Each structure stands twice: as structure tokens, then as C-alpha cells.
Amino acid sequence: MRHKIVAGNWKMNKTLEEAQALTSEIMGMVADEVNGSVKVVLCVPFPYLVTIKNQLGANATIFVGAQNASEHDSGAYTGETSVAMIKSVGVPYVIIGHSERRQYFGEDAKLLATKVNKVLAGGLTPIFCCGEPLEIRENGTHESLVKQQVEESLFHLSANELKKVVIAYEPVWAIGTGKTASSQQAEDMHAVIRKHLASKYGAEVSESISILYGGSVKSDNAKELFSQPNVDGGLVGGASLKSREFVEIVKAI
Ligand code: 13P
């Protein structure tokens, strides 16, 4: 059985006080709503990781995640945060390769492969993002691009390593645009990714990988998206910044 995961990516939003208030509201609402088969991950800005982690305490459903990690172990990399640092504060998840990192910070497939290695070597779970820009969707090469993204950054892993990766498919044209992929478009791509994983690692491994959908997930489309057989949850941006909306999405799973 694959894990069902709803992760909120807060991106560069909220003050500490607002982050604590949002966490407290989510904790209050999720407690009653979710059974043990769903994990909720709050990917908060770096300065709040320790505070939010402590606030969550021993919560068995809600976990904290980082939004990025350095490809380096330590040293003279001003402004960077290593996997060892993230691990040392007890944070179990790290988003790697978000399209905003690819687009604004020039992160390419090779760099992301190194980052995935570092996160896994630290014993943490990477949430590896892939997804095509609009022009690629329009010219019809989206499936081959996403397969290539997965291949270039993950296919060097052993089967045991791959099993620890969570994949998030986030079509760039659906991020922050209010224009979500249809549930059929999401399902089609998730099936393509799973089949591609199976071609290299076999069906058993590929069936064990959680593949999340991201891109304008909202309370009113979450149920339909999550009902697809290959959609194992969501990576939620804007809608994760409002407690009620986010918890409705969690409930939809
Ligand atoms: P939105 O939900 O705001 O479209 O963002 C999706 C995303 O980028 C999550 O990582």
C-alpha cells in the first residue's frame, strides 16, 4: 500500500507568528479528520523549521518539511542549508527540484540528482518535483520531458533508494495560475511516470512509490484529482496558506 500524502508548500510566505497560527489551526482541525493512512507535511520556510517542528511535537499525522537543501555537505557556501543541518533539527522531508528552483535558481537535472543523493544519504525523504512548462504541453512532448526529468535525476538510484523517494508531478502551467490539470491529465501523466519507473525497477517498486499532483489544487478539485488510481495525494501551494482550505484538501483524500 502506497502512502497517501498531502503536503503544503508554503514557499516564501508568512511571518513566524502567522506560521505558528496557521500550524495551530491545521493541528486543531486535522486531529479529528484524518485516519492513520494519510500523512500531512508542512513545508515551511527555513527560519521556522525548528519552531514548527516543536509545535507539532509528537503529532502522528503532521510532519514538517524543508523546501530545498544544498548539494554540498558543509563549508563556505554563504546562505545555503545542508541536509545535515536539516536532519539535525529533526525534519524528515525535503522538497527537491521544485519548478521555481529550476526556473529562478538554474537547478538542472544533474544538480538535482546530487541533491537527491544527499537527502537520501542523510536518511531523509526527498519530495522530487517534475513537470513541463506550457509550451512543452502545447507541442505535445510533455510525456517525454517528464520521463527525462525523472530519468536524469532518479534513475541512478538503487531500487531500495528509489523506494524512499516521493515524486510530485507539477505541470508548470498549473502552478499558481488557478488552471489545474484535469484529473484525466494528472492521471495520464502519473501513469506514464509509474510505467517508466516500472521499466527500470519493476512493477513492485514502481507500485510502492507515492506520486503527488501539484498545481492549483483546491478544496473544490481535490476529491476528483485524488480519486484517480495513480494520484496518491497532493503538493499544495496557495491553498496550503489557509487552514480551512488546506484541511478540506486533506479531508478529500
Ligand atoms: P499552487 O497550489 O499555488 O498552484 O502551487 C503549487 C506548487 O507549486 C506546490 O509546490
Side-chain angles (χ1 to χ4, degrees), residues 35-90:
N35 66 37
S37 65
V38 180
K39 288 184 180 174
V40 176
V41 184
L42 306 180
C43 298
V44 308
F46 276 118
Y48 314 149
L49 284 173
V50 174
T51 310
I52 302 300
K53 154 105 188 148
N54 290 341
Q55 192 177 343
L56 291 170
N59 193 301
T61 306
I62 314 177
F63 302 87
V64 71
Q67 298 173 14
N68 181 32
S70 173
E71 69 275 28
H72 302 291
D73 289 331
S74 66
Y77 301 101
T78 301
E80 288 292 275
T81 305
S82 71
V83 169
M85 292 170 179
I86 297 167
K87 184 186 166 98
S88 75
V89 294

Short mmCIF file of all heavy atoms in Angstrom, two decimals, residues 35-90:
data_model
loop_
_atom_site.label_atom_id
_atom_site.label_comp_id
_atom_site.label_asym_id
_atom_site.label_seq_id
_atom_site.Cartn_x
_atom_site.Cartn_y
_atom_site.Cartn_z
N ASN A 35 -7.63 9.74 9.24
CA ASN A 35 -7.25 8.46 9.82
C ASN A 35 -5.77 8.19 9.57
O ASN A 35 -5.10 8.97 8.89
CB ASN A 35 -8.13 7.34 9.27
CG ASN A 35 -7.91 7.13 7.80
OD1 ASN A 35 -6.78 7.25 7.33
ND2 ASN A 35 -8.95 6.83 7.06
N GLY A 36 -5.26 7.13 10.12
CA GLY A 36 -3.82 6.89 10.15
C GLY A 36 -3.15 6.67 8.80
O GLY A 36 -1.93 6.67 8.72
N SER A 37 -3.92 6.53 7.73
CA SER A 37 -3.29 6.18 6.46
C SER A 37 -2.81 7.41 5.68
O SER A 37 -2.22 7.29 4.63
CB SER A 37 -4.27 5.39 5.60
OG SER A 37 -5.35 6.21 5.27
N VAL A 38 -3.06 8.60 6.19
CA VAL A 38 -2.67 9.82 5.48
C VAL A 38 -1.58 10.56 6.25
O VAL A 38 -1.65 10.68 7.47
CB VAL A 38 -3.88 10.77 5.31
CG1 VAL A 38 -3.48 12.03 4.57
CG2 VAL A 38 -5.00 10.07 4.59
N LYS A 39 -0.58 11.04 5.51
CA LYS A 39 0.43 11.89 6.13
C LYS A 39 0.27 13.31 5.62
O LYS A 39 0.04 13.51 4.41
CB LYS A 39 1.83 11.40 5.79
CG LYS A 39 2.19 10.12 6.49
CD LYS A 39 3.61 9.72 6.20
CE LYS A 39 3.91 8.43 6.92
NZ LYS A 39 5.23 7.90 6.58
N VAL A 40 0.40 14.25 6.50
CA VAL A 40 0.35 15.67 6.13
C VAL A 40 1.73 16.24 6.38
O VAL A 40 2.33 15.99 7.42
CB VAL A 40 -0.72 16.40 6.98
CG1 VAL A 40 -0.71 17.89 6.68
CG2 VAL A 40 -2.10 15.80 6.75
N VAL A 41 2.26 16.96 5.40
CA VAL A 41 3.60 17.55 5.54
C VAL A 41 3.50 19.05 5.32
O VAL A 41 2.92 19.49 4.32
CB VAL A 41 4.58 16.94 4.51
CG1 VAL A 41 5.99 17.49 4.75
CG2 VAL A 41 4.59 15.42 4.58
N LEU A 42 4.03 19.82 6.26
CA LEU A 42 4.05 21.28 6.11
C LEU A 42 5.47 21.70 5.75
O LEU A 42 6.38 21.61 6.57
CB LEU A 42 3.63 21.95 7.43
CG LEU A 42 2.29 21.49 8.03
CD1 LEU A 42 2.01 22.25 9.34
CD2 LEU A 42 1.14 21.68 7.04
N CYS A 43 5.66 22.11 4.49
CA CYS A 43 6.98 22.53 4.03
C CYS A 43 7.09 24.04 4.23
O CYS A 43 6.59 24.83 3.43
CB CYS A 43 7.19 22.13 2.58
SG CYS A 43 7.13 20.34 2.37
N VAL A 44 7.71 24.39 5.35
CA VAL A 44 7.70 25.78 5.82
C VAL A 44 9.04 26.43 5.49
O VAL A 44 10.02 25.75 5.23
CB VAL A 44 7.42 25.82 7.34
CG1 VAL A 44 6.16 25.03 7.68
CG2 VAL A 44 8.60 25.31 8.16
N PRO A 45 9.12 27.75 5.52
CA PRO A 45 10.41 28.43 5.29
C PRO A 45 11.45 28.01 6.34
O PRO A 45 11.11 27.72 7.50
CB PRO A 45 10.04 29.91 5.42
CG PRO A 45 8.59 29.98 5.05
CD PRO A 45 8.00 28.71 5.62
N PHE A 46 12.71 28.02 5.94
CA PHE A 46 13.80 27.56 6.83
C PHE A 46 13.78 28.13 8.24
O PHE A 46 13.97 27.38 9.20
CB PHE A 46 15.17 27.84 6.18
CG PHE A 46 15.58 26.78 5.20
CD1 PHE A 46 15.77 27.08 3.87
CD2 PHE A 46 15.79 25.47 5.62
CE1 PHE A 46 16.16 26.10 2.96
CE2 PHE A 46 16.17 24.48 4.72
CZ PHE A 46 16.35 24.80 3.39
N PRO A 47 13.58 29.47 8.40
CA PRO A 47 13.70 30.00 9.77
C PRO A 47 12.68 29.42 10.75
O PRO A 47 12.85 29.54 11.95
CB PRO A 47 13.46 31.51 9.59
CG PRO A 47 13.66 31.77 8.16
CD PRO A 47 13.32 30.52 7.42
N TYR A 48 11.62 28.79 10.21
CA TYR A 48 10.54 28.31 11.10
C TYR A 48 10.59 26.80 11.33
O TYR A 48 9.73 26.26 12.05
CB TYR A 48 9.17 28.67 10.51
CG TYR A 48 9.04 30.09 9.99
CD1 TYR A 48 8.20 30.38 8.92
CD2 TYR A 48 9.76 31.13 10.58
CE1 TYR A 48 8.07 31.68 8.45
CE2 TYR A 48 9.65 32.44 10.09
CZ TYR A 48 8.80 32.70 9.03
OH TYR A 48 8.69 33.98 8.55
N LEU A 49 11.53 26.12 10.72
CA LEU A 49 11.51 24.65 10.81
C LEU A 49 11.49 24.16 12.26
O LEU A 49 10.68 23.31 12.63
CB LEU A 49 12.72 24.04 10.08
CG LEU A 49 12.66 24.02 8.55
CD1 LEU A 49 13.98 23.56 7.96
CD2 LEU A 49 11.52 23.12 8.06
N VAL A 50 12.41 24.69 13.09
CA VAL A 50 12.53 24.19 14.46
C VAL A 50 11.27 24.52 15.26
O VAL A 50 10.72 23.66 15.96
CB VAL A 50 13.78 24.79 15.16
CG1 VAL A 50 13.82 24.38 16.62
CG2 VAL A 50 15.05 24.34 14.44
N THR A 51 10.80 25.75 15.12
CA THR A 51 9.62 26.16 15.88
C THR A 51 8.40 25.32 15.51
O THR A 51 7.66 24.86 16.39
CB THR A 51 9.30 27.66 15.60
OG1 THR A 51 10.50 28.40 15.78
CG2 THR A 51 8.23 28.18 16.52
N ILE A 52 8.21 25.14 14.22
CA ILE A 52 7.01 24.40 13.78
C ILE A 52 7.15 22.92 14.14
O ILE A 52 6.20 22.27 14.57
CB ILE A 52 6.75 24.60 12.27
CG1 ILE A 52 6.59 26.10 11.93
CG2 ILE A 52 5.54 23.79 11.80
CD1 ILE A 52 5.45 26.81 12.63
N LYS A 53 8.35 22.41 14.01
CA LYS A 53 8.60 21.02 14.42
C LYS A 53 8.25 20.83 15.90
O LYS A 53 7.59 19.88 16.29
CB LYS A 53 10.08 20.70 14.13
CG LYS A 53 10.68 19.63 14.97
CD LYS A 53 10.85 18.35 14.22
CE LYS A 53 11.27 17.28 15.18
NZ LYS A 53 10.80 15.98 14.86
N ASN A 54 8.72 21.77 16.74
CA ASN A 54 8.41 21.69 18.17
C ASN A 54 6.93 21.86 18.44
O ASN A 54 6.37 21.20 19.31
CB ASN A 54 9.21 22.74 18.95
CG ASN A 54 10.70 22.39 18.98
OD1 ASN A 54 11.08 21.24 18.75
ND2 ASN A 54 11.54 23.38 19.24
N GLN A 55 6.32 22.72 17.69
CA GLN A 55 4.88 22.96 17.87
C GLN A 55 4.08 21.68 17.55
O GLN A 55 3.12 21.36 18.22
CB GLN A 55 4.44 24.11 16.95
CG GLN A 55 3.06 24.64 17.24
CD GLN A 55 2.70 25.84 16.35
OE1 GLN A 55 3.58 26.47 15.73
NE2 GLN A 55 1.44 26.15 16.27
N LEU A 56 4.53 20.96 16.52
CA LEU A 56 3.83 19.72 16.13
C LEU A 56 4.06 18.62 17.17
O LEU A 56 3.23 17.73 17.34
CB LEU A 56 4.31 19.25 14.76
CG LEU A 56 3.89 20.12 13.57
CD1 LEU A 56 4.62 19.70 12.31
CD2 LEU A 56 2.38 20.05 13.36
N GLY A 57 5.20 18.69 17.86
CA GLY A 57 5.51 17.71 18.91
C GLY A 57 5.44 16.30 18.37
O GLY A 57 6.00 16.00 17.33
N ALA A 58 4.70 15.44 19.07
CA ALA A 58 4.65 14.03 18.69
C ALA A 58 3.45 13.74 17.79
O ALA A 58 3.00 12.59 17.70
CB ALA A 58 4.60 13.16 19.94
N ASN A 59 2.92 14.74 17.14
CA ASN A 59 1.78 14.53 16.23
C ASN A 59 2.08 13.40 15.26
O ASN A 59 3.11 13.42 14.57
CB ASN A 59 1.49 15.84 15.47
CG ASN A 59 0.16 15.83 14.77
OD1 ASN A 59 -0.09 14.98 13.92
ND2 ASN A 59 -0.71 16.75 15.13
N ALA A 60 1.21 12.42 15.18
CA ALA A 60 1.50 11.22 14.39
C ALA A 60 1.08 11.38 12.93
O ALA A 60 1.37 10.51 12.10
CB ALA A 60 0.78 10.04 15.01
N THR A 61 0.42 12.47 12.60
CA THR A 61 -0.09 12.67 11.23
C THR A 61 0.62 13.79 10.49
O THR A 61 0.86 13.70 9.29
CB THR A 61 -1.60 13.02 11.29
OG1 THR A 61 -2.26 12.01 12.04
CG2 THR A 61 -2.21 13.09 9.90
N ILE A 62 0.97 14.85 11.22
CA ILE A 62 1.51 16.05 10.57
C ILE A 62 3.02 16.15 10.80
O ILE A 62 3.49 16.02 11.94
CB ILE A 62 0.84 17.34 11.09
CG1 ILE A 62 -0.68 17.16 11.16
CG2 ILE A 62 1.20 18.53 10.21
CD1 ILE A 62 -1.42 18.35 11.74
N PHE A 63 3.76 16.35 9.72
CA PHE A 63 5.21 16.42 9.78
C PHE A 63 5.67 17.72 9.13
O PHE A 63 4.93 18.36 8.39
CB PHE A 63 5.83 15.22 9.03
CG PHE A 63 5.37 13.90 9.58
CD1 PHE A 63 4.20 13.31 9.11
CD2 PHE A 63 6.08 13.27 10.59
CE1 PHE A 63 3.74 12.11 9.64
CE2 PHE A 63 5.63 12.07 11.13
CZ PHE A 63 4.46 11.48 10.64
N VAL A 64 6.93 18.06 9.40
CA VAL A 64 7.45 19.28 8.82
C VAL A 64 8.45 18.93 7.71
O VAL A 64 9.06 17.86 7.72
CB VAL A 64 8.07 20.15 9.94
CG1 VAL A 64 9.34 19.58 10.49
CG2 VAL A 64 8.27 21.58 9.49
N GLY A 65 8.55 19.81 6.72
CA GLY A 65 9.48 19.58 5.62
C GLY A 65 10.19 20.86 5.24
O GLY A 65 9.68 21.97 5.48
N ALA A 66 11.39 20.72 4.65
CA ALA A 66 12.12 21.87 4.12
C ALA A 66 11.81 21.99 2.63
O ALA A 66 11.32 21.05 2.01
CB ALA A 66 13.62 21.68 4.35
N GLN A 67 12.09 23.16 2.06
CA GLN A 67 11.73 23.40 0.65
C GLN A 67 12.91 23.24 -0.30
O GLN A 67 12.77 23.36 -1.52
CB GLN A 67 11.16 24.82 0.51
CG GLN A 67 9.89 25.03 1.31
CD GLN A 67 9.42 26.49 1.29
OE1 GLN A 67 9.88 27.29 0.48
NE2 GLN A 67 8.51 26.82 2.16
N ASN A 68 14.10 22.98 0.26
CA ASN A 68 15.30 22.90 -0.56
C ASN A 68 16.42 22.42 0.35
O ASN A 68 16.28 22.44 1.57
CB ASN A 68 15.63 24.30 -1.11
CG ASN A 68 16.87 24.33 -2.00
OD1 ASN A 68 17.18 23.36 -2.70
ND2 ASN A 68 17.59 25.44 -1.96
N ALA A 69 17.53 21.97 -0.23
CA ALA A 69 18.73 21.65 0.54
C ALA A 69 19.92 21.83 -0.38
O ALA A 69 19.80 21.70 -1.60
CB ALA A 69 18.68 20.21 1.06
N SER A 70 21.06 22.11 0.21
CA SER A 70 22.28 22.30 -0.59
C SER A 70 22.78 20.96 -1.13
O SER A 70 22.56 19.91 -0.52
CB SER A 70 23.38 22.91 0.28
OG SER A 70 24.60 22.94 -0.43
N GLU A 71 23.48 21.04 -2.24
CA GLU A 71 24.14 19.84 -2.78
C GLU A 71 25.48 19.60 -2.10
O GLU A 71 26.12 18.58 -2.33
CB GLU A 71 24.31 19.96 -4.30
CG GLU A 71 25.31 21.00 -4.79
CD GLU A 71 24.73 22.41 -4.91
OE1 GLU A 71 23.79 22.75 -4.17
OE2 GLU A 71 25.25 23.19 -5.74
N HIS A 72 25.91 20.56 -1.26
CA HIS A 72 27.20 20.44 -0.57
C HIS A 72 26.98 19.96 0.87
O HIS A 72 25.92 20.19 1.45
CB HIS A 72 27.92 21.78 -0.55
CG HIS A 72 28.17 22.34 -1.92
ND1 HIS A 72 29.07 21.76 -2.80
CD2 HIS A 72 27.63 23.39 -2.58
CE1 HIS A 72 29.08 22.44 -3.94
NE2 HIS A 72 28.21 23.44 -3.84
N ASP A 73 28.03 19.37 1.44
CA ASP A 73 27.92 18.85 2.80
C ASP A 73 28.07 19.94 3.86
O ASP A 73 27.37 19.96 4.85
CB ASP A 73 29.00 17.78 3.04
CG ASP A 73 28.68 16.51 2.26
OD1 ASP A 73 27.48 16.25 2.03
OD2 ASP A 73 29.62 15.80 1.86
N SER A 74 29.07 20.81 3.64
CA SER A 74 29.34 21.89 4.61
C SER A 74 30.37 22.81 3.99
O SER A 74 30.92 22.50 2.93
CB SER A 74 29.89 21.32 5.92
OG SER A 74 31.17 20.75 5.69
N GLY A 75 30.62 23.93 4.64
CA GLY A 75 31.71 24.80 4.19
C GLY A 75 31.27 26.18 3.76
O GLY A 75 30.23 26.68 4.16
N ALA A 76 32.10 26.79 2.91
CA ALA A 76 31.94 28.20 2.56
C ALA A 76 30.90 28.37 1.45
O ALA A 76 31.23 28.61 0.29
CB ALA A 76 33.29 28.77 2.14
N TYR A 77 29.64 28.19 1.81
CA TYR A 77 28.53 28.35 0.85
C TYR A 77 27.50 29.28 1.51
O TYR A 77 26.45 28.84 1.98
CB TYR A 77 27.92 26.99 0.50
CG TYR A 77 28.93 26.07 -0.13
CD1 TYR A 77 29.53 25.06 0.61
CD2 TYR A 77 29.32 26.24 -1.46
CE1 TYR A 77 30.49 24.24 0.04
CE2 TYR A 77 30.29 25.42 -2.03
CZ TYR A 77 30.86 24.42 -1.27
OH TYR A 77 31.81 23.61 -1.85
N THR A 78 27.84 30.54 1.55
CA THR A 78 27.03 31.52 2.27
C THR A 78 25.55 31.46 1.86
O THR A 78 25.24 31.49 0.67
CB THR A 78 27.58 32.93 2.01
OG1 THR A 78 28.94 32.95 2.45
CG2 THR A 78 26.79 34.00 2.76
N GLY A 79 24.72 31.37 2.85
CA GLY A 79 23.28 31.40 2.61
C GLY A 79 22.66 30.04 2.35
O GLY A 79 21.44 29.93 2.23
N GLU A 80 23.47 29.00 2.29
CA GLU A 80 22.94 27.67 1.98
C GLU A 80 22.65 26.87 3.26
O GLU A 80 23.16 27.17 4.33
CB GLU A 80 23.95 26.90 1.11
CG GLU A 80 24.04 27.43 -0.32
CD GLU A 80 22.76 27.18 -1.11
OE1 GLU A 80 22.62 26.08 -1.66
OE2 GLU A 80 21.91 28.07 -1.16
N THR A 81 21.87 25.83 3.11
CA THR A 81 21.49 24.97 4.24
C THR A 81 21.71 23.51 3.84
O THR A 81 21.19 23.06 2.82
CB THR A 81 20.00 25.18 4.59
OG1 THR A 81 19.79 26.58 4.83
CG2 THR A 81 19.60 24.40 5.81
N SER A 82 22.50 22.80 4.63
CA SER A 82 22.84 21.43 4.25
C SER A 82 21.81 20.42 4.74
O SER A 82 21.03 20.71 5.66
CB SER A 82 24.21 21.05 4.84
OG SER A 82 24.08 20.90 6.25
N VAL A 83 21.85 19.26 4.17
CA VAL A 83 20.99 18.16 4.61
C VAL A 83 21.29 17.81 6.07
O VAL A 83 20.37 17.58 6.87
CB VAL A 83 21.17 16.92 3.70
CG1 VAL A 83 20.51 15.69 4.31
CG2 VAL A 83 20.62 17.20 2.31
N ALA A 84 22.59 17.83 6.44
CA ALA A 84 22.95 17.50 7.83
C ALA A 84 22.29 18.48 8.80
O ALA A 84 21.86 18.09 9.90
CB ALA A 84 24.47 17.52 8.00
N MET A 85 22.22 19.75 8.41
CA MET A 85 21.57 20.75 9.28
C MET A 85 20.07 20.46 9.42
O MET A 85 19.52 20.50 10.51
CB MET A 85 21.75 22.15 8.68
CG MET A 85 23.16 22.66 8.70
SD MET A 85 23.25 24.17 7.71
CE MET A 85 24.98 24.56 7.91
N ILE A 86 19.46 20.16 8.29
CA ILE A 86 18.01 19.88 8.29
C ILE A 86 17.74 18.63 9.13
O ILE A 86 16.82 18.59 9.95
CB ILE A 86 17.51 19.71 6.84
CG1 ILE A 86 17.69 21.04 6.06
CG2 ILE A 86 16.06 19.26 6.80
CD1 ILE A 86 17.52 20.92 4.56
N LYS A 87 18.59 17.63 8.94
CA LYS A 87 18.45 16.39 9.72
C LYS A 87 18.65 16.66 11.22
O LYS A 87 17.94 16.11 12.05
CB LYS A 87 19.49 15.39 9.21
CG LYS A 87 19.42 14.02 9.84
CD LYS A 87 20.60 13.19 9.34
CE LYS A 87 20.81 11.94 10.14
NZ LYS A 87 20.23 10.76 9.53
N SER A 88 19.62 17.52 11.53
CA SER A 88 19.95 17.75 12.94
C SER A 88 18.81 18.41 13.71
O SER A 88 18.78 18.36 14.93
CB SER A 88 21.23 18.58 13.07
OG SER A 88 20.98 19.94 12.75
N VAL A 89 17.89 19.07 12.99
CA VAL A 89 16.74 19.63 13.70
C VAL A 89 15.51 18.74 13.58
O VAL A 89 14.40 19.14 13.90
CB VAL A 89 16.44 21.09 13.25
CG1 VAL A 89 17.59 22.01 13.64
CG2 VAL A 89 16.16 21.19 11.76
N GLY A 90 15.72 17.52 13.09
CA GLY A 90 14.65 16.52 13.14
C GLY A 90 13.59 16.68 12.06
O GLY A 90 12.45 16.27 12.24
#
